[in-house]
């Protein structure tokens, strides 16, 4: 019984941390940005991208973004996504450091896809 309560407490704590993380890191108004033509930049690996992605998204992995950012237009709006949201935060930061002003974190691609539909 005691182990069950500890396990439930751990699960509840992980869930709360996840919800706080999502609230603090995801930009609001992503659906509006997408309607206005924002480009979804999927920063997962090619292999991950092939297993599923948002239709029309561009795939540049986080591992190559420091070299391939020149393929992107600084005047366009980008929404970075990955599998859970951590790499998308890093990609957003890298692009902003390189002069991109219109970059937003979209978190997990599957969550953003649900927002689009």
């Amino acid at each position: 019984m005691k182990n069950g309560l500890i396990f439930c407490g751990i699960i509840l704590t992980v869930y709360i941390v996840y919800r706080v993380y999502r609230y603090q890191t995801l930009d609001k108004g992503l659906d509006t940005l997408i309607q206005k033509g924002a480009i979804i930049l999927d920063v997962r690996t090619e292999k991950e991208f092939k297993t599923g992605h948002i239709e029309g998204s561009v795939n540049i992995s986080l591992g190559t973004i420091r070299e391939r950012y020149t393929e992107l237009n600084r005047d366009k709006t980008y929404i970075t996504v990955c599998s859970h949201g951590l790499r998308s935060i890093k990609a957003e930061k890298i692009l902003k450091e390189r002069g991109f002003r219109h970059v937003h974190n979209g978190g997990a691609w599957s969550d953003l896809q649900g927002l689009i539909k």
Side-chain angles (χ1 to χ4, degrees), residues 42-111:
D42 194 320
V43 297
R44 297 176 298 151
T45 64
E46 279 186 48
K47 187 175 180 181
E48 289 175 297
F49 186 77
K50 287 179 183 176
T51 64
H53 58 272
I54 297 173
E55 188 175 332
S57 61
V58 175
N59 179 231
I60 298 179
S61 72
L62 180 63
T64 62
I65 202 156
R66 285 183 173 87
E67 295 83 30
R68 295 184 58 197
Y69 76 92
T70 57
E71 298 172 23
L72 304 173
N73 183 340
R74 282 189 172 88
D75 297 327
K76 299 215 180 228
T77 300
Y78 294 95
I79 300 172
T80 58
V81 296
C82 61
S83 58
H84 294 94
L86 297 176
R87 288 178 281 182
S88 62
I89 292 170
K90 290 178 184 176
E92 176 189 21
K93 182 179 178 187
I94 290 168
L95 292 175
K96 285 182 175 180
E97 288 172 351
R98 282 161 177 72
F100 288 79
R101 295 175 302 177
H102 309 289
V103 183
H104 306 273
N105 176 29
W109 75 272
S110 55
D111 291 343

Side-chain angles (χ1 to χ4, degrees), residues 1 4 6 12 24 58 67 84 99 115:
M1 180 72 171
I6 292 171
L12 180 62
Q24 290 179 341
V58 175
E67 295 83 30
H84 294 94
L115 179 68

Side-chain angles (χ1 to χ4, degrees), residues 19-59:
R19 297 304 293 178
V20 168
Y21 159 78
R22 284 187 45 99
Y23 178 76
Q24 290 179 341
T25 59
L26 296 183
D27 291 323
K28 297 186 180 14
L30 295 177
D31 53 343
T32 304
L33 291 173
I34 292 168
Q35 290 172 0
K36 292 181 178 181
I39 299 166
I40 299 168
L41 180 61
D42 194 320
V43 297
R44 297 176 298 151
T45 64
E46 279 186 48
K47 187 175 180 181
E48 289 175 297
F49 186 77
K50 287 179 183 176
T51 64
H53 58 272
I54 297 173
E55 188 175 332
S57 61
V58 175
N59 179 231

